Structure formats: C-alpha cells, structure tokens
Amino acid sequence: MLKLPGLIDPHVHLREPGATHKEDFDSGTSAALAGGFTTVLAMPNTNPPIFDEATLNLALDAAKQKARCDYGQFVGAGPNNADGIAALAPRAAGLKMYLDSTFGELRLDNMILWMPHFANWPKSAALVVHAESRTLAAAILFAEIYDRPIHIAHVSLKEEILVIKAAKERGIKVTCEVAPHHLFLTDSPLPAGEGPGVRAKSGRSEVRPRLATQADVDSLWANLNVIDCFATDHAPHTLAEKDFENPPPGFPGLETALPLLLTAVHERRLTLDDLIKKMHTNPKRIFNLPDQPETWVEVDEDATYEIRAAEQFTRCGWTPFEGWQVHGRVRKVVLRGQVAFEDGKVLAEKGLGRNVRG
Ligand code: DOR
Ligand code: ZN
C-alpha cells in the first residue's frame, strides 16, 4: 500500500452556480475524493460568472453547504471589474484571466483590458491565465513588465512549453500546469469502434486547448522538469450535450488523473517523487494553501483495472479514457482524521470540506 499526501487539483470546473445538471460542489468534490484529491480550486466561468462580491458569495455559500473536500474559488477578470476585484483577493483562490477569444463574458479581448488587472491584483495572490500559443508569450511579457508571478493554465503545445522554459531560464516568475488529457491523448485518436480513447471527429474530442499532435505530447513528456503542476481542468458536460450539435468543449478528469499518472510511474515515464511534487507540493506553494493535518491517500499500487464511466461520481456520465487499463487504485482517503473515501464509497458528509481561504 502506497501512502500519498492529499492531492491538490488547482483547476476544476464544478458548474455551480448555473449548470448543476453537469456537476455541483457535491458531485464534483465526491469525484475529487474518489480521485485522491483533498483540495480543489474551482474556476469562475459559471453562470453567472464569479466576478464580484455577490457572485463570489453565491459560489462560496453553495460550497460551504455541499463540499465534501476542501475547496477554493477563483474570481474572474472581466472587462469592467478591474477596480473592485482586487479587494476580493484574500477570499479567492486566485484571479483567472481568459486572454484568448473563446470564452464568453469573462473574455479580455485586447491587452488594454489586461493592464489594470495586472496592475491591481496583489502580487502575493495567484494570477492564472488561459493563454494559448502567442497569447501565452504576451502574458509572459506582462509578467515581466509588471514584475509579478503568473501561472499558465493547461499548457498543451511544444512551442508553449519551450517558451515557458526559456522564460524560466531568464528568471521570469512563471509557473505552469499540464492536464493529463494533453499528456495521454493526441489529435488523432483511434477511429470509432477501434478501442479506447476519444473518437475522432466526435463531440467527445472537443476540448480547449484542443488535443495536440504527437510531437507536442512528446515535448511535454521531454520537458517534465518545466511543468510545475498536473491539473485536471475537469470540465464536465453531459453525454447528451457532447453528442449533440455544437458540443461544448471539455473533459472530466478528476477520477482518471491519478490512475493515469500512477500508470506512467509504473511504466517509469515519471517518478513518484515528481508526481507528489506536481500534485501536492508545488500547487500548495503556488496557490498558498494551508496544511491539512492528518490527511493522506492510500493507493493499491499493484491493482490494475479498466476505467469505467459507470463507476465515477462525476455527474457528466462519461470519460475520454473509457476502457483504458490503468495501474494503481485509490483505496482510502483520510481528510483531517476522517475517512472520506474507502473502497469505492464516498464517506465524507456534505459540508466536511473547508474553504482554503476560510
Ligand atoms: O475545454 C474547456 N472547457 N476548456 C476551458 O477552458 C473551459 C472548459 C469549460 O468550462 O467547459
Ligand atoms: Zn479550465
């Protein structure tokens, strides 16, 4: 039996408020515990988005009632909230900035809109950017101009990881995360009916950032030392939504991240020390998270099993890794001395979870 610290997922979409048929703080934190996570940091692109005091209270009230593991809530940078939002920093997991043009109300279409957020958000608080390709290079330039740390979400491309590597070598305060689906899936998945993986050209393969080429995936593995965190970007949408017209982008990931990465440890593509660094030590430091005393995860290292959506706690009902053989199963999760998960059952009550900024 392998004992791990309580894992931290700094990037999840729990859909509350606004889309609780996909997920809420109850189902999402149940999925987290089943996946070995004892802390999740929730993104603000909900409905309404979390972008002022009233909406932050909405999310935190729901979380307080329902969360079964610890949580933090990001606030979102919008085109009009740069004056007030910084005052919420002590209560937020961090500030999330959507710098690319794919995201609704929180989208920051031009760099003039970035400026007041970079100027006002406290340097001691986390600032996370969704910034792909050249936008990512611009965000790194902003970190340098404003002399403040930034954290780059879901890096997926070779050009991105190489630019981050160069920026780090130059001493720019940049950290980054990679999602398991960008490490284990490419943009040419097996055709329908040919075994596991997401189907090519199906709504189920839609995700942002998109799945990338084998060369991109290889470069992420070759530059593991540049990656600070693994973060799931758990973005549940129901099967009915994924298999209909205009499928929304996003994959669930809370219950598959650890088994996939433990399988990589088993195959010696990753060390256990590195896994713990990227799923506990580094996110704890980057997001300034409190200690969780008497908290750990027990894993049966030798258990092999097939991933099955039917066994998951997420409300979305599917996984892009259906049928994958993995090595390493979460047996038990203890949170502050209480057994929160054991042998497939969530034992934590709603409300056991605490706000990391409480
Ligand atoms: O695929 C994605 N889905 N990427 C994002 O950045 C947002 C997310 C969502 O909220 O569904
Ligand atoms: Zn996301």
Side-chain angles (χ1 to χ4, degrees):
M1 201 63 79
L2 173 70
K3 199 170 162 184
L4 301 173
L7 302 180
I8 296 162
D9 189 346
H11 190 147
V12 300
H13 298 265
L14 299 186
R15 307 303 188 202
E16 187 156 13
T20 51
H21 67 287
K22 301 175 198 253
E23 204 78 289
D24 69 356
F25 278 100
D26 175 2
S27 60
T29 55
S30 297
L33 288 167
F37 295 100
T38 55
T39 306
V40 290
L41 303 183
M43 286 295 158
N45 64 334
T46 48
N47 189 10
I50 309 306
F51 65 163
D52 61 11
E53 188 170 14
T55 49
L56 178 60
N57 288 339
L58 211 56
L60 289 179
D61 287 347
K64 188 173 185 173
Q65 314 265 331
K66 297 191 194 172
R68 297 175 196 259
C69 74
D70 291 356
Y71 58 87
Q73 174 65 54
F74 281 94
V75 292
N80 302 310
N81 69 354
D83 285 340
I85 199 81
L88 298 177
R91 299 179 62 209
L95 180 71
K96 177 70 182 289
M97 298 182 70
Y98 288 95
L99 305 185
D100 279 304
S101 49
T102 38
F103 297 94
E105 290 181 64
L106 293 175
R107 185 174 66 213
L108 301 171
D109 274 328
N110 65 64
M111 288 187 284
I112 297 167
L113 296 174
W114 306 5
M115 290 174 181
H117 285 295
F118 269 81
N120 294 352
W121 190 251
K123 289 186 185 184
S124 58
L127 191 162
V128 178
V129 297
H130 180 132
E132 299 181 36
S133 187
R134 293 176 195 188
T135 312
L136 181 152
I140 291 175
L141 178 63
F142 265 62
E144 179 71 350
I145 293 170
Y146 288 87
D147 187 28
R148 62 149 305 133
I150 63 166
H151 179 78
I152 298 178
H154 41 52
V155 172
S156 64
L157 301 176
K158 180 174 183 176
E159 62 175 6
E160 294 172 350
I161 200 71
L162 293 183
V163 167
I164 293 168
K165 179 171 189 251
K168 285 184 171 192
E169 283 165 3
R170 167 100 198 190
I172 298 175
K173 300 181 194 85
V174 53
T175 54
C176 70
E177 68 190 35
V178 170
H181 51 265
H182 292 124
L183 288 168
F184 294 98
L185 298 172
T186 71
D187 62 357
S188 47
L190 296 170
E194 281 201 23
V198 292
R199 289 190 215 157
K201 298 207 175 83
S202 113
R204 297 190 201 178
S205 63
E206 284 295 325
V207 66
R208 298 291 178 276
R210 289 185 170 82
L211 296 178
T213 66
Q214 188 64 52
D216 290 308
V217 172
D218 291 345
S219 86
L220 296 179
W221 283 103
N223 289 285
L224 278 178
N225 62 333
V226 182
I227 300 169
D228 298 279
C229 309
F230 295 132
T232 65
D233 197 6
H234 179 80
H237 300 284
T238 64
L239 259 187
E241 293 163 338
K242 293 296 280 185
D243 289 348
F244 199 60
E245 288 157 36
N246 286 327
F251 292 166
L254 278 167
E255 290 159 272
T256 47
L258 181 60
L260 288 167
L261 291 161
L262 284 170
T263 304
V265 171
H266 180 74
E267 292 167 351
R268 301 189 191 284
R269 305 172 74 190
L270 177 72
T271 67
L272 192 59
D273 278 357
D274 209 20
L275 181 149
I276 293 169
K277 246 196 244 160
K278 292 175 182 4
M279 300 182 87
H280 174 78
T281 322
N282 291 346
K284 185 167 189 287
R285 186 192 71 245
I286 293 165
F287 295 94
N288 191 23
L289 301 176
D291 289 330
Q292 291 174 314
E294 285 185 82
T295 297
W296 68 87
V297 177
E298 291 175 22
V299 169
D300 183 348
E301 278 179 284
D302 298 320
T304 52
Y305 68 103
E306 272 186 17
I307 291 174
R308 294 272 172 239
E311 291 168 17
Q312 297 196 146
F313 288 87
T314 174
R315 202 161 278 160
C316 72
W318 73 288
T319 163
F321 301 105
E322 182 74 32
W324 282 41
Q325 277 278 343
V326 287
H327 208 96
R329 190 192 272 279
V330 176
R331 282 284 177 222
K332 189 175 186 177
V333 178
V334 178
L335 175 56
R336 281 187 292 276
Q338 285 202 45
V339 180
F341 176 88
E342 191 167 23
D343 290 330
K345 292 197 182 65
V346 173
L347 302 176
E349 308 260 298
K350 288 198 239 178
L352 177 70
R354 287 188 193 164
N355 185 348
V356 297
R357 303 292 183 238

